[in-house]
Amino acid sequence: MAKFTDFIPMQKELRQTKAALEAAHAKIERLTKERDEARAQVAAAYETAAQVADDFAKDYDVMEPGKPDRYASAKTQRAAKGMVRLVRDDIRALTPADAQSALEAYGREKVREGMRMAAKIADQDSSAYHIRSEIRAEMETLK
């Protein structure tokens, strides 16, 4: 039959295992967050490149070959800008799905963060109960 003192080392080992498990969970959570932030940055970089192409199409005018002071025809202008927009669309299509999802999740988290701040402000005003309720209800839809 086991004595009570036989369980003391097991309790110590159990506490150490629990602490190690909690540390591992914290590390996994931190690394997951870092991975998701990196993916969001990748998607943001693709979107920035696509936006540069879009801005270029808006501000770019095609000149007649050999005549730098003369614009090409409207048809040529549209065709050139259309090609640049195709490049923009191709850049967006290259964005990895997991990166795009991470960017969207990051955006939702920022919105939730703003709503939490708004709810805190509304909490300071006792007459703003309906506003707090609406903010919290909207936050639930963003999960």
Side-chain angles (χ1 to χ4, degrees):
M1 180 177 225
K3 298 182 216 169
F4 178 72
T5 54
D6 294 339
F7 291 104
I8 293 173
M10 285 188 234
Q11 286 178 330
K12 183 179 179 183
E13 185 179 341
L14 184 60
R15 280 193 297 274
Q16 290 171 341
T17 302
K18 184 179 177 186
L21 185 59
E22 288 171 355
H25 280 293
K27 185 174 184 177
I28 289 168
E29 190 174 312
R30 179 182 56 80
L31 292 173
T32 299
K33 184 176 180 185
E34 288 176 8
R35 180 205 62 203
D36 291 346
E37 287 174 357
R39 286 178 175 170
Q41 289 173 354
V42 167
Y46 275 94
E47 183 55 33
T48 298
Q51 191 59 49
V52 167
D54 199 38
D55 293 345
F56 181 78
K58 289 176 188 169
D59 298 333
Y60 180 72
D61 289 315
V62 179
M63 307 307 284
E64 283 287 339
K67 299 177 183 174
D69 58 340
R70 189 166 173 196
Y71 293 108
S73 69
K75 182 179 177 181
T76 302
Q77 297 285 346
R78 283 191 304 275
K81 290 179 185 218
M83 293 299 291
V84 174
R85 287 190 180 98
L86 286 174
V87 169
R88 174 204 60 199
D89 295 343
D90 287 347
I91 291 170
R92 285 190 175 130
L94 291 171
T95 305
D98 59 350
Q100 187 63 39
S101 295
L103 182 60
E104 290 166 2
Y106 178 78
R108 285 190 304 272
E109 179 55 35
K110 289 299 175 187
V111 170
R112 279 193 298 270
E113 191 176 300
M115 290 180 149
R116 277 192 290 273
M117 293 166 85
K120 278 185 183 179
I121 292 168
D123 283 342
Q124 296 170 1
D125 183 356
S126 61
S127 66
Y129 175 78
H130 65 283
I131 295 172
R132 289 191 306 267
S133 299
E134 289 179 26
I135 290 170
R136 290 193 177 98
E138 186 64 27
M139 285 172 65
E140 288 299 313
T141 66
L142 294 171
K143 291 186 178 180

